[in-house]
Amino acid sequence: MPATARASASAPTSRSPRPSSSSTTRSKVDRAPVLTRRDVASVALACAFARTIVRPDVALALERADEGAIRRAIRASLEREVPTSKCPAVLRLVFHDAGTHSASEKDGGMNGSVRYELSRPESFGLKRGLTPVKNAYDGLQGTAAEGKVSFSDMIACAGAYAVEITGGPSFLERVPIGRVDATSADPENRMPEQTLSGKDMREHFARSGIDTRDMVALAGAHTIGGKGFGDMYTFDNAYYVTLVADPWHKPNMTKDEASMAEHIGLPSDKYMREDAESMLWIKKYAEDQEAFFEDFVDAYIRLTKLGATFSTE
């Protein structure tokens, strides 16, 4: 039927009775709302769009894009604030933050509490590493990482960055983020004494959930800093090469040589090489730097997860 005919048939004529006001009111109340074709199309489009944005593959892509922006912001801030000269102190900060973990007590660990522990004897000198990390953390304001990265996250990331820019493996983007920060200090007397024997050191780290391989691999962090293991700003396997060479017990040393040897490493470094189980890994890493790098990365990531609570948001 032509549109004009339909319009004429539906339009009221002059002879049609006018409905009363009461019937008009009832029809407005009783009649269901009518959706036009445009309304239906709009609803269908909205539903299709809603289904699209929650598709798992699209959601995953958006999540990855968001994390990529966060990771770039972290790296950019670390590049601005962490110079090579501060790398040994920054890496030491990581060990002091994570080193308070107790597997049996289920407390301590990587939670940023090191900020509240600076007055402890074992924390002497940590401000040197804490300051650039804090500056890098503050530098996240106004970036994609603001509010998404905790202070403990930044400590863990800064340590990985310190390893990278001193010639070690690059794994900054593999360090998990999302830790919840502590609001007070962790329990005292959790850090290992520097005079522990190799066996005692293994037992200490075992109480934190760290096995012998990880302990020896993490000890390789001493390769940077002023401990006498090669160049102080080069992350390599010189630590293990030195331990195998045993500079403390060379035959026929002069008085000056013996004095210089005493300044190499900590007492715990010397004692670790006397432990047969530890020495197996020391020799392996002295011979194979790539094996050391690989095991160090795995051990470091595990270390920075010890005791950490990760946000589900």
Side-chain angles (χ1 to χ4, degrees):
M1 180 183 296
T4 53
R6 287 199 302 268
S8 299
S10 60
T13 65
S14 58
R15 290 174 294 182
S16 301
R18 296 185 61 184
S20 65
S21 60
S22 60
S23 63
T24 301
T25 303
R26 283 196 302 273
S27 64
K28 288 181 180 180
V29 173
D30 299 337
R31 189 170 60 234
V34 177
L35 294 177
T36 65
R37 290 181 179 178
R38 180 177 295 179
D39 294 332
V40 173
S42 298
V43 172
L45 181 61
C47 291
F49 180 73
R51 286 194 298 272
T52 300
I53 64 173
V54 297
R55 275 172 43 193
D57 56 336
V58 176
L60 180 60
L62 291 172
E63 181 180 341
R64 286 176 176 171
D66 186 49
E67 182 172 350
I70 292 171
R71 294 288 185 177
R72 287 191 294 274
I74 292 173
R75 178 174 285 277
S77 193
L78 289 171
E79 288 175 349
R80 288 192 302 270
E81 302 295 342
V82 180
T84 302
S85 61
K86 296 294 180 69
C87 286
V90 167
L91 190 53
R92 179 175 172 239
L93 186 72
V94 178
F95 288 99
H96 277 255
D97 195 36
T100 57
H101 176 64
S102 169
S104 60
E105 298 297 328
K106 294 182 173 55
D107 60 10
M110 198 76 201
N111 54 22
S113 67
V114 69
R115 292 177 290 180
Y116 312 111
E117 300 158 7
L118 297 178
S119 62
R120 296 176 180 178
E122 67 269 22
S123 298
F124 179 77
L126 283 183
K127 285 184 180 180
R128 180 174 170 80
L130 184 65
T131 298
V133 173
K134 183 180 184 303
N135 291 341
Y137 178 69
D138 292 342
L140 298 180
Q141 294 182 16
T143 73
E146 182 178 1
K148 304 289 182 63
V149 176
S150 66
F151 193 76
S152 48
D153 287 338
M154 207 60 182
I155 295 175
C157 289
Y161 178 74
V163 170
E164 176 185 322
I165 67 170
T166 52
S170 177
F171 63 102
L172 171 57
E173 282 69 28
R174 288 180 55 189
V175 176
I177 57 176
R179 296 168 187 77
V180 177
D181 285 337
T183 56
S184 60
D186 282 343
E188 297 188 55
N189 303 316
R190 292 284 179 83
M191 296 300 295
E193 295 288 337
Q194 296 181 0
T195 55
L196 291 179
S197 69
K199 179 176 179 295
D200 290 339
M201 187 69 76
R202 280 194 289 109
E203 292 175 350
H204 173 92
F205 277 95
R207 290 193 291 272
S208 297
I210 298 174
D211 63 17
T212 304
R213 188 199 76 158
D214 283 5
M215 179 195 75
V216 177
L218 291 169
H222 286 177
T223 193
I224 60 173
K227 298 179 179 67
F229 299 106
D231 181 79
M232 67 183 299
Y233 297 127
T234 299
F235 191 96
D236 55 19
N237 68 337
Y239 174 76
Y240 306 103
V241 173
T242 303
L243 291 184
V244 170
D246 189 11
W248 306 282
H249 300 101
K250 285 184 177 180
N252 304 317
M253 281 194 298
T254 66
K255 184 177 180 180
D256 288 343
E257 288 174 334
S259 178
M260 289 179 64
E262 286 300 314
H263 291 88
I264 298 175
L266 302 172
S268 56
D269 295 319
K270 305 171 191 177
Y271 299 148
M272 186 169 65
R273 70 172 310 282
E274 298 172 2
D275 177 64
E277 186 174 336
S278 299
M279 197 60 182
L280 293 174
W281 293 103
I282 291 171
K283 289 180 177 179
K284 177 180 176 65
Y285 298 147
E287 296 170 358
D288 190 342
Q289 180 169 278
E290 289 305 312
F292 161 51
F293 281 3
E294 183 178 346
D295 287 356
F296 178 86
V297 170
D298 288 345
Y300 184 94
I301 291 175
R302 278 191 287 273
L303 174 75
T304 59
K305 293 165 68 176
L306 288 178
T309 299
F310 287 86
S311 172
T312 56
E313 296 182 2

